[in-house]
Amino acid sequence: GEDVEQSLFLSVREGDSSVINCTYTDSSSTYLYWYKQEPGAGLQLLTYIFSNMDMKQDQRLTVLLNKKDKHLSLRIADTQTGDSAIYFCAPRMTGNTPLVFGKGTRLSVIA
Amino acid sequence: DTAVSQTPKYLVTQMGNDKSIKCEQNLGHDTMYWYKQDSKKFLKIMFSYNNKELIINETVPNRFSPKSPDKAHLNLHINSLELGDSAVYFCASSTGHHPYEQYFGPGTRLTVT
């Protein structure tokens, strides 16, 4: 089955860029999602990238995909205190197969 | 107009009891899921239903029984609750077309004492 690895913690200063990394094992992953979980809340879909793309930009978010290395990253520009949360990488093989989550990266933003 | 809702939000109960968690989605999605998030925030799929039919049942004890009375609802019934069942349970639903976005409910925090 798919294994997804993320570093557990990241701390950045407000205004800096944050880069959250993810590696996965299943090369047939077609859709790769990033979810955000704020304390005590559910998971919010942030963005996704399709496997035939290398990059996707959505306002302050940039997703990079290196399919050869099975590496996905999420860059948050101008990180704000409201970005403090746990970020989950979740690849998925095909349409409606369940998501396989990494352990999540806890982003702390220091004012 | 909540997209995916769950009740209750918190559930505290004793070992050995039977409890249910309800989930409803008003997005018109065909596929619904239950995920479990443990105390270390690790999320794992439990069940997946498509058009009221069970399509995925991960290695979950058979004390857990999902029930889908219609496409908009997927309930989770748990018999003989154990301490290790304490977790946050998330319901989710998914579109049936690209990019197959999955939307999560707010979660139910189950505490077994």
Side-chain angles (χ1 to χ4, degrees):
Chain A
E2 175 93 83
D3 278 328
V4 181
E5 294 289 335
Q6 296 178 242
S7 51
L8 293 181
F9 300 98
L10 177 65
S11 183
V12 300
R13 292 204 174 275
E14 193 174 18
D16 287 351
S17 291
S18 309
V19 180
I20 300 170
N21 293 301
C22 169
T23 57
Y24 58 98
T25 56
D26 194 333
S27 56
S28 60
S29 291
T30 309
Y31 300 90
L32 301 107
Y33 305 87
W34 282 101
Y35 281 85
K36 176 184 180 183
Q37 186 178 30
E38 295 181 14
L43 283 88
Q44 174 195 352
L45 176 63
L46 277 182
T47 188
Y48 69 92
I49 192 166
F50 192 49
S51 60
N52 66 356
M53 300 163 70
D54 298 324
M55 185 182 91
K56 180 180 180 183
Q57 188 149 1
D58 185 359
Q59 299 181 333
R60 290 191 298 122
L61 305 178
T62 303
V63 180
L64 294 177
L65 175 61
N66 181 328
K67 213 176 158 191
K68 176 175 161 289
D69 293 340
K70 297 195 270 292
H71 183 266
L72 183 72
S73 68
L74 174 70
R75 179 177 179 269
I76 306 172
D78 186 26
T79 312
Q80 303 297 307
T81 53
D83 295 324
S84 294
I86 301 176
Y87 290 81
F88 291 93
C89 162
R92 175 189 237 171
M93 272 194 293
T94 59
N96 273 327
T97 54
L99 298 169
V100 178
F101 286 91
K103 288 195 169 114
T105 299
R106 188 180 294 271
L107 174 64
S108 298
V109 182
I110 307 161
Chain B
D1 56 343
T2 307
V4 184
S5 59
Q6 294 179 229
T7 52
K9 189 165 171 61
Y10 300 98
L11 185 51
V12 181
T13 188
Q14 292 184 327
M15 279 173 53
N17 284 348
D18 303 339
K19 289 293 177 188
S20 291
I21 306 171
K22 294 187 175 182
C23 176
E24 177 180 3
Q25 53 97 1
N26 62 6
L27 298 166
H29 293 166
D30 287 340
T31 307
M32 296 183 71
Y33 311 83
W34 277 108
Y35 289 86
K36 179 180 178 181
Q37 185 174 44
D38 64 22
S39 58
K40 293 183 180 173
K41 302 296 185 186
F42 186 48
L43 268 159
K44 196 166 159 50
I45 182 68
M46 298 175 72
F47 301 102
S48 172
Y49 266 73
N50 183 262
N51 274 322
K52 303 194 301 171
E53 288 191 21
L54 179 67
I55 54 173
I56 288 175
N57 179 352
E58 291 294 318
T59 47
V60 175
N62 58 14
R63 297 181 296 104
F64 290 79
S65 53
K67 290 262 186 331
S68 182
D70 55 59
K71 274 174 36 173
H73 295 85
L74 181 61
N75 303 323
L76 184 64
H77 189 76
I78 317 170
N79 288 328
S80 304
L81 278 153
E82 299 178 358
L83 293 176
D85 297 332
S86 294
V88 181
Y89 292 84
F90 287 100
C91 176
S93 72
S94 183
T95 65
H97 52 81
H98 174 79
Y100 301 96
E101 294 154 322
Q102 199 164 122
Y103 295 93
F104 283 77
T108 296
R109 181 175 294 275
L110 171 66
T111 305
V112 183
T113 61

